[in-house]
Amino acid sequence: MLELRKDIFADERDDNLKEIGKGTQRQDMLGHVTGTSTYFDDHKLQGMLHMKVLRSQHAHARLRRIDTAEAERSQGVRRIIRGADVPRNLNTLLSLINFGKDDEPSLAVDKVRYKGEPIVAIVADSPREAHEAMAKVRVDYEPLPAVFDVEDALKPGAPVVNEVYPKNTFIYHDVYDHQKLRFGDADRALAGADHVLEQRYQMSPIEHAPTETNGSIAAPDTNGRYVVYTSTQALFFSLDTSAKILDVPSNTFHFVGGTVGGGFGGKVDTLTEPLCILGAMLTGRPVRYVLGREEEMQFGSPRGAERIYLKDGVMRDGRIIARKVRAYFDSGAYTRLSSYAVVKCVAHLPGPYTIPNVHGDVYCVFTNRTPATAMRGFGVTAMDFAIECQMDKLAHLVGMDPMEFRILNAYRDGDMKAHRREAKNCALIECVQVAAEKSKWTLREEFRRMSSRKDGGGGRAAIPATPGETRPRPTAPAQQRTAYDRSLAAPLNEPPREPPPPPPSPPQPAAPSHGATRFSSVFGTRRR
Amino acid sequence: MSKIPLQFRHNGREVAIFVDGGTNLLVALRELIGDMTPKFGCGQGGCGACSVLIDGALHLSCLTLAETVAGRSVETLDGIKQGPQLHPLQRAFMENFAAQCGYCTPGMLMAAKALLDRNPQPSRAEVVEAISGNICRCTGYEPIINAVLAAASGGRASA
């Protein structure tokens, strides 16, 4: 039971949080309509210099030689920054929570792995002079074979995109090349199904295209620190990432943000801050680094594309008895957040439906495309697109109304989900009923009467025998319940029960030095 | 590089600056005059975030050479309030939840003002047409259209 010590904060605010229907004004609205909301680029600092970044023309190439001699002499140039100038020129975003290996340089040194990858940064008195100097940098590329397709990338002999991951897949727990979900025996169930439907789904990368492009302004502060105005959506994440790359304590920086001109997930990757701050460190001047629109589209990370194969077994009465999923998440050339997207994707399988046999294999694959990142439910939305297309096709196959077909298969309270957690506070049936009503779609009486609160649990709460599982687990692990749960299974003051035996655990990486328990969905550990 | 002297009216005040040849009006307003209300979104005339009025007509300041506004009147979002009083369009945007991230809002308001200044009672279709050059990536177009129509009908009520 999660208990909030409300008494401690009793004086601070009342508990009446009923805001629905009231119409509450945004606190930033006055600033928005008067144009006084301060975005990062609205700061004008004395003596500010401008940074531009030379980017790779090739999707995959060895860098034979980078000649900046002529650019150094170009008018207005204050400093040219190369990979060797970056204190720790290798990072992966989720290293802050000890997840994944450092795989991405701030400035490419020996190789470029996607078109648009930064190679050299130029700090000059004006944007024009920085551009002019950029045109004078000579890069001698040796183009390499590139791979742009997730399945091609996994074939033997495929070009190695990123040497940190030589098999072109992210490696989970130091061992596994994909995330796996096993629940029941999908193959056997498919063999006994009345109909089997196998389909392939493919989505494209999607660019967030925020109206304000990514950027930051960094300036030496009066106290030896650096103040950084930034477009970031994740202020402290970007601060810590910058501190790691620049190899200084995080209290070296004072990040100022919060007013973001559209993000949607595309402003969490700390694309500009480390180089911008480094520019300020090396010149002792304020430096402004803002992506142009073309850079935002080419270099700004998109929602990663996914290829999804679904194979479902359905009975004539409409029950789905097996779902087999094989999916490939296109991470682009570096990991960024895609490793986590795959974890989320697998946790979401098989969608909000009670299916007794589920089999999932999802890969985080490296290709020579722009690295992917967060965007509005990333890892889940594409899978939902595939699953819901599939649901319509399955309904058609068994001659059922697609709405009724969803109600029939929906999670009900007390059902066991494929990742062995009990379904609670389900509402899909009610949502479908309301959607049908609003769209004047006729549901048969028995489907109008169905409820998420009825007919769940019982046999549907069982964990089926799963081939390959070393130890049978008759019950699901105890779950934390909160006051928001519809019904509490145990009286509130019941003494704690002995926890069930832990499930067989996969080989674990070495104990991380810090922070590992903060991100429960990645490590499977409870947030403390 | 030799500088070009440039004099124009900025929100009713006479200003004089020196610009490099090729400087666009957006840079002149933001970096030389310090009016941060027009925003940079694309620099290609694709998004409308930099929209300003030149002699009352809507223009994209990122595609306007600064020197072409010599002797003319440039109006930005910073100039549409009457003292502390918000412009009816600003009030209508507030009341109709017509901004999310706020970055397109200055351009939207200038496009809307250009419309209402020449057509105080626009139809919904005319409002849609008027803001069709302004991209809102938070996709809040409906509240924006409603706000412009509300400002227009509010103007009629008080007239």
Side-chain angles (χ1 to χ4, degrees), chain B residues 28-111:
Chain B
L29 288 170
R30 288 179 60 88
E31 294 177 18
L32 300 174
I33 290 176
D35 179 353
M36 294 297 184
T37 58
K39 302 297 179 193
F40 170 88
C42 66
Q44 305 165 352
C47 75
C50 67
S51 299
V52 300
L53 305 188
I54 300 172
D55 290 339
L58 190 66
H59 284 268
L60 296 162
S61 61
C62 77
L63 293 187
T64 304
L65 279 178
E67 57 210 81
T68 63
V69 301
R72 300 171 76 182
S73 172
V74 175
E75 195 180 1
T76 70
L77 177 59
D78 193 41
I80 77 170
K81 284 191 302 181
Q82 295 286 324
Q85 295 295 319
L86 295 182
H87 186 278
L89 272 166
Q90 291 174 308
R91 278 206 307 276
F93 267 55
M94 282 191 77
E95 286 160 9
N96 288 275
F97 202 81
Q100 287 186 47
C101 82
Y103 203 78
C104 72
T105 309
M108 284 286 181
L109 280 163
M110 297 319 287

Side-chain angles (χ1 to χ4, degrees), chain A residues 25-26 29-30 32-35 37 39 41-42 44 128 207-209 211-213 260-262 264 291 293, chain B residues 1 21 30-31 36-37 39-42 77 86 90 93-94 97-103 105 109 137-138:
Chain A
Q25 184 57 273
R26 296 174 62 109
M29 191 58 103
L30 183 62
H32 286 356
V33 302
T34 52
S37 296
Y39 299 88
D41 198 26
D42 295 340
K44 200 178 129 195
R128 176 191 294 198
E207 167 57 39
H208 314 74
T211 331
E212 172 204 61
T213 57
V260 178
F264 323 116
L291 300 189
R293 178 55 56 186
Chain B
M1 191 181 298
R30 288 179 60 88
E31 294 177 18
M36 294 297 184
T37 58
K39 302 297 179 193
F40 170 88
C42 66
L77 177 59
L86 295 182
Q90 291 174 308
F93 267 55
M94 282 191 77
F97 202 81
Q100 287 186 47
C101 82
Y103 203 78
T105 309
L109 280 163
R137 273 295 280 171
C138 306

